[in-house]
């Protein structure tokens, strides 16, 4: 909560999330299309997860299901946390909630990012951004775009299948040298066997 997710998605897409300086400003997921260089993808801003979200605490539980549909995850850490929680501890708690909800989510490609670089009060060695000043945004989008592209390429292709639609087959009538009429064709053969029907 309050890590700048709504400000970020508004900065990199045309999505207009509600932005305010209090936790749980975001009450429902917001989607924004991001176009950056050669990359294009949809970014989803979901309500912040708190400790115990996987057990129904806060607003996170009802929105955790939205995470299941994402090819890649962005874990946004607050570099100016007022409660003094370090970015490393924030990441640990967030990943714990994902694991409690669905352990497979930890296998999903993810990018961990420190937010609010412009008012940073905590040291952090990873990728850092400011959605307000846009510092670090290009690097962030390049890394995220590459991550999404890689995730797309690794997805198993659905089994394709071919539908054969039979076309109507006619029949032919011919006359043998002995005067008999011969009727032949796929439809006739299917009903009578392979031997042509002879009419004398």
């Amino acid at each position: 909560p309050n890590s700048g997710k709504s400000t970020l998605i508004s900065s990199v897409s045309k999505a207009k999330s509600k932005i305010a300086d209090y936790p749980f400003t975001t009450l429902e997921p917001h989607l924004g299309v991001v176009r950056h260089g050669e990359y294009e993808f949809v970014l989803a801003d979901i309500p912040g997860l708190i400790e115990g979200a996987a057990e129904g605490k806060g607003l996170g539980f009802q929105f955790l299901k939205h995470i299941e549909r994402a090819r890649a995850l962005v874990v946004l850490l607050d570099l100016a946390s007022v409660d003094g929680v370090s970015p490393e501890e924030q990441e640990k708690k967030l990943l714990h909630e994902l694991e409690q909800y669905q352990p497979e989510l930890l296998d999903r490609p993810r990018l961990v990012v420190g937010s609010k670089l412009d008012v940073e009060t905590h040291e952090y060695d990873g990728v850092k951004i400011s959605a307000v000043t846009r510092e670090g945004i290009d690097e962030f989008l390049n890394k995220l775009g590459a991550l999404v592209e890689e995730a797309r390429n690794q997805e198993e292709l659905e089994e394709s299948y071919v539908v054969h639609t039979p076309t109507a087959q006619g029949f032919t009538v011919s006359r043998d040298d002995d005067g008999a009429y011969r009727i032949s064709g796929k439809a006739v053969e299917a009903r009578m066997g392979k031997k042509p029907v002879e009419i004398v």
Side-chain angles (χ1 to χ4, degrees):
N2 214 30
S3 62
K5 297 183 298 298
S6 297
T7 304
L8 175 60
I9 196 171
S10 296
S11 173
V12 299
S13 76
K14 294 190 185 234
K16 298 301 173 198
S17 299
K18 182 179 178 183
I19 298 169
D21 190 21
Y22 56 84
F24 300 117
T25 309
T26 301
L27 298 176
E28 59 186 23
H30 291 97
L31 303 177
V33 176
V34 177
R35 293 181 179 90
H36 181 74
E38 62 187 287
Y39 302 117
E40 182 174 327
F41 52 90
V42 175
L43 194 62
D45 163 27
I46 69 159
L49 301 181
I50 63 169
E51 199 166 2
E55 297 163 6
K57 293 183 182 176
L59 298 176
F61 179 74
Q62 63 199 84
F63 295 114
L64 273 165
K65 63 180 180 284
H66 292 284
I67 297 175
E68 295 176 34
R69 302 186 319 193
R71 284 188 175 99
L73 304 176
V74 175
V75 177
L76 205 59
L77 309 176
D78 187 355
L79 299 183
S81 173
V82 293
D83 56 10
V85 179
S86 70
E88 291 75 20
E89 186 62 26
Q90 292 174 46
E91 180 181 1
K92 182 179 174 184
K93 287 179 180 179
L94 287 169
L95 295 183
H96 175 74
E97 292 308 320
L98 292 179
E99 182 178 31
Q100 291 300 303
Y101 177 72
Q102 191 178 104
E104 298 81 33
L105 288 174
L106 294 186
D107 297 328
R108 199 75 49 95
R110 66 175 177 265
L111 179 60
V112 182
V113 182
S115 179
K116 302 184 183 177
L117 174 59
D118 53 310
V119 289
E120 177 182 16
T121 57
H122 297 280
E123 290 292 326
Y124 182 65
D125 292 332
V127 177
K128 297 192 283 190
I129 61 167
S130 168
V132 175
T133 66
R134 295 194 58 81
E135 186 176 353
I137 291 293
D138 284 342
E139 178 191 1
F140 162 69
L141 291 177
N142 284 332
K143 285 180 181 291
L144 183 56
L147 193 68
V148 171
E149 197 65 32
E150 184 181 343
R152 284 175 179 157
N153 292 336
Q154 288 179 354
E155 280 185 348
E156 289 185 18
L157 294 176
E158 292 183 12
E159 273 189 44
S160 60
Y161 54 90
V162 177
V163 176
H164 293 279
T165 305
T167 56
Q169 298 289 329
F171 60 89
T172 59
V173 178
S174 58
R175 192 163 189 173
D176 290 344
D177 293 339
D178 60 1
Y181 289 95
R182 184 181 294 263
I183 302 175
S184 56
K186 289 189 179 287
V188 175
E189 291 173 6
R191 289 188 177 248
M192 306 299 290
K194 293 287 184 184
K195 186 176 178 181
V197 177
E198 295 182 359
I199 300 175
V200 179

